[in-house]
């Protein structure tokens, strides 16, 4: 084998090795998210190309889910909270996921049966049923109404949320 053939063989082996490393990185990355099986059709996690937000003009709503998966001919939104541990989903996270379900419904014309909320140790499958949909619409309505209020009452009882809040220094409703 001449020097050119040796160089070509080495280049080929190097490309093969790099392809293996990329494949392995993708597999480990996916395993780290705890995502179920399903084709990833959208990701806002910076591993693929830049993504545009989903937009629903009818509800003046826009957002970027962490992933959209194609499962059983449905488009399923996924929200990942890698550092969160809780026995059940937080209400705010459920509403955020519901908003992504509504965006999928509006942009694809098909309402997803559920969304997936991934915490550090487990994944919750949250049905996007009529009850959750109506709760979301009512919450969006209240948020828009409150945008024009001078004073808005605290809507939670979570001291940790106040401890991390940037408005804490001058908020009269903070929890200690
Ligand atoms: S400090 Fe005030 S604004 Fe911040 S989370 Fe608490 S109640 Fe809300």
């Amino acid at each position: 084998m001449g020097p050119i053939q040796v160089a070509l063989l080495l280049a080929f082996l190097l490309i093969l090795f790099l392809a293996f490393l990329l494949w392995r990185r993708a597999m480990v990355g996916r395993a780290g998210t705890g995502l179920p099986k399903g084709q990833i059709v959208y990701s806002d996690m910076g591993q693929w190309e830049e993504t545009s937000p989903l937009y629903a003009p009818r509800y003046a709503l826009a957002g970027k889910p962490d992933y959209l998966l194609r499962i059983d001919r449905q488009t399923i939104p996924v929200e990942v909270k890698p550092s969160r541990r809780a026995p059940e989903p937080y209400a705010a996270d459920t509403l955020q996921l519901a908003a992504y379900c509504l965006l999928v419904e509006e942009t694809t014309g098909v309402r997803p049966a559920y969304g997936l909320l991934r915490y550090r140790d487990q994944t919750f499958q949250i049905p996007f049923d009529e009850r959750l949909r109506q709760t979301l619409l009512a919450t969006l309505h209240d948020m828009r109404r409150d945008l024009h209020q001078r004073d808005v009452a605290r809507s939670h009882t979570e001291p940790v949320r106040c401890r991390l809040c940037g408005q804490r220094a001058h908020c009269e409703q903070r929890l200690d």
Side-chain angles (χ1 to χ4, degrees), residues 152-156 158-175:
V152 179
R154 173 170 37 80
S155 62
H156 65 91
E158 300 167 36
V160 70
R161 203 158 146 188
C162 290
R163 248 174 264 140
L164 299 171
C165 177
Q167 306 301 321
R168 179 182 171 77
H170 46 263
C171 177
E172 293 176 353
Q173 297 192 32
R174 67 175 177 266
L175 296 165

Side-chain angles (χ1 to χ4, degrees), residues 1-14:
M1 193 180 287
I4 293 179
Q5 283 93 340
V6 171
L8 284 173
L9 182 63
L10 286 176
F12 176 72
L13 289 174
L14 184 64

Side-chain angles (χ1 to χ4, degrees), residues 94-159:
T94 300
L95 278 177
Q96 183 184 4
L97 187 65
Y100 295 144
C101 288
L102 184 63
L103 285 167
V104 168
E105 177 185 326
E106 286 293 297
T107 53
T108 67
V110 180
R111 184 187 300 188
Y114 61 92
L116 295 170
L117 183 59
R118 172 71 192 174
Y119 282 177
R120 183 180 170 131
D121 299 322
Q122 59 183 320
T123 302
F124 300 97
Q125 180 172 313
I126 299 177
F128 186 51
D129 52 20
E130 195 51 36
R131 189 164 165 220
L132 180 55
R133 194 173 185 281
Q134 290 306 322
T135 302
L136 171 67
L137 293 178
T139 304
L140 291 173
H141 174 269
D142 290 350
M143 286 169 69
R144 289 199 182 104
R145 180 203 60 207
D146 291 346
L147 272 178
H148 305 291
Q149 306 285 331
R150 280 183 63 81
D151 295 306
V152 179
R154 173 170 37 80
S155 62
H156 65 91
T157 54
E158 300 167 36

Side-chain angles (χ1 to χ4, degrees), residues 5-80:
Q5 283 93 340
V6 171
L8 284 173
L9 182 63
L10 286 176
F12 176 72
L13 289 174
L14 184 64
I15 289 169
L16 216 56
F17 182 63
L18 288 175
F20 170 75
L21 286 182
L22 284 172
W23 173 81
R24 192 171 156 68
R25 191 178 146 197
M27 290 298 108
V28 169
R30 181 176 178 123
T33 66
L35 291 177
K37 282 196 173 135
Q39 183 194 359
I40 297 175
V41 292
Y42 174 107
S43 168
D44 188 37
M45 302 304 276
Q47 294 165 327
W48 284 273
E49 69 278 4
E50 186 66 27
T51 49
S52 311
L54 306 180
Y55 179 48
R58 185 171 11 168
Y59 299 104
L61 186 66
K64 289 171 118 181
D66 288 331
Y67 297 97
L68 290 179
L69 295 183
R70 193 87 184 135
I71 302 175
D72 297 334
R73 286 186 278 177
Q74 288 193 73
T75 303
I76 303 296
V78 184
E79 181 62 17
V80 180

